[in-house]
Amino acid sequence: MSIDQYRFFGIGIRSVVTSFLAVFLLVGCASHYPPAPAKAASSEYNYLIGPGDNVNIVVWRNPELSMSVPVRPDGKISAPLVEDLPALGKDSSQLARDIEKALGKFIRDPVVTVVVTNFVGPYSEQIRVIGEAARPQTLPFKQKMTLLDVMIAVNGITDFADGNGATLMRTTEGSKQYRVRLKDLMKRGDVSADVEMKPGDVLIIPRSWF
């Protein structure tokens, strides 16, 4: 074997060793995260409007101004006598009051009701599932949503997933990470591994190397 071949072989060995060390470090870090708290959702949660939602606007005694409109990608809506009104991040009552204010320039004492349909929500409120999920995706948050609900929505984990090495990153707590036991929950039916989700949670499912 030539000197160049020895050098190449040595570099290859070092790369493999470095990769395994990185994996061990990641697994070790994940094991040191605290377990996710079983209870997380707040009873005071109000759904916030996001791009992709539909809003039904009902203007009392003014059926010609009542209609269903989509929330545009820029987070705004347009309706009769109301142009480019921001809806992103507001709840239905807040949006109704804003529409009343806008319509008040044209009609006397408008009374508006807003009903949200086709729920998507703001990006900051959505649940993201990445890594070794069967169908990694983004899900709209729902009150009292749990980890089991999320896993059913993404069709569980792959055969290569390190389910008990998964972590839950909680953006509402400064991106703090918690350990979750997906394998125990999905493969063994251990309901004690189920935890409540919070708006903006990111579920990270690593690959198992063993």
Side-chain angles (χ1 to χ4, degrees):
M1 185 179 292
S2 68
I3 293 176
D4 288 340
Q5 288 175 318
Y6 273 117
R7 287 176 177 170
F8 180 78
F9 182 74
I11 292 172
I13 292 295
R14 284 197 297 273
S15 298
V16 172
V17 171
T18 301
S19 298
F20 273 105
L21 284 174
V23 170
F24 280 121
L25 286 172
L26 287 172
V27 172
C29 289
S31 65
H32 290 302
Y33 291 131
K39 301 294 183 181
S42 169
S43 58
E44 298 178 355
Y45 174 76
N46 288 321
Y47 179 80
L48 301 180
I49 297 169
D53 288 349
N54 282 329
V55 292
N56 291 329
I57 303 170
V58 180
V59 185
W60 188 52
R61 292 183 176 176
N62 289 273
E64 70 280 2
L65 299 178
S66 302
M67 64 187 309
S68 177
V69 298
V71 181
R72 305 193 311 242
D74 62 0
K76 298 178 180 179
I77 62 169
S78 292
L81 303 182
V82 179
E83 288 189 359
D84 299 333
L85 183 67
L88 177 64
K90 298 176 181 178
D91 62 27
S92 57
S93 295
Q94 291 172 325
L95 182 58
R97 302 295 81 75
D98 289 347
I99 295 174
E100 287 175 350
K101 184 178 179 180
L103 291 177
K105 300 174 184 178
F106 307 99
I107 61 177
R108 184 177 179 179
D109 299 327
V111 178
V112 176
T113 300
V114 169
V115 179
V116 184
T117 60
N118 191 38
F119 300 97
V120 177
Y123 291 121
S124 60
E125 299 268 300
Q126 295 172 6
I127 305 297
R128 292 174 172 81
V129 185
I130 60 176
E132 292 298 320
R135 290 193 307 168
Q137 59 182 292
T138 299
L139 304 168
F141 174 79
K142 300 176 182 177
Q143 179 74 322
K144 295 297 183 180
M145 173 185 268
T146 70
L147 186 61
L148 181 58
D149 297 323
V150 172
M151 295 314 300
I152 291 173
V154 300
N155 282 359
I157 56 179
T158 70
D159 293 335
F160 306 103
D162 179 11
N164 284 352
T167 57
L168 192 65
M169 185 172 72
R170 191 140 279 167
T171 60
T172 57
E173 299 177 9
S175 297
K176 183 177 180 179
Q177 288 188 260
Y178 294 98
R179 183 176 72 252
V180 290
R181 298 181 289 120
L182 295 181
K183 182 177 180 180
D184 291 348
L185 178 64
M186 301 302 297
K187 303 294 186 181
R188 298 168 184 164
D190 184 356
V191 294
S192 69
D194 198 16
V195 300
E196 287 186 354
M197 307 295 289
K198 273 190 172 183
D201 279 354
V202 180
L203 180 61
I204 305 167
I205 310 172
R207 176 183 286 264
S208 175
W209 297 92
F210 303 99

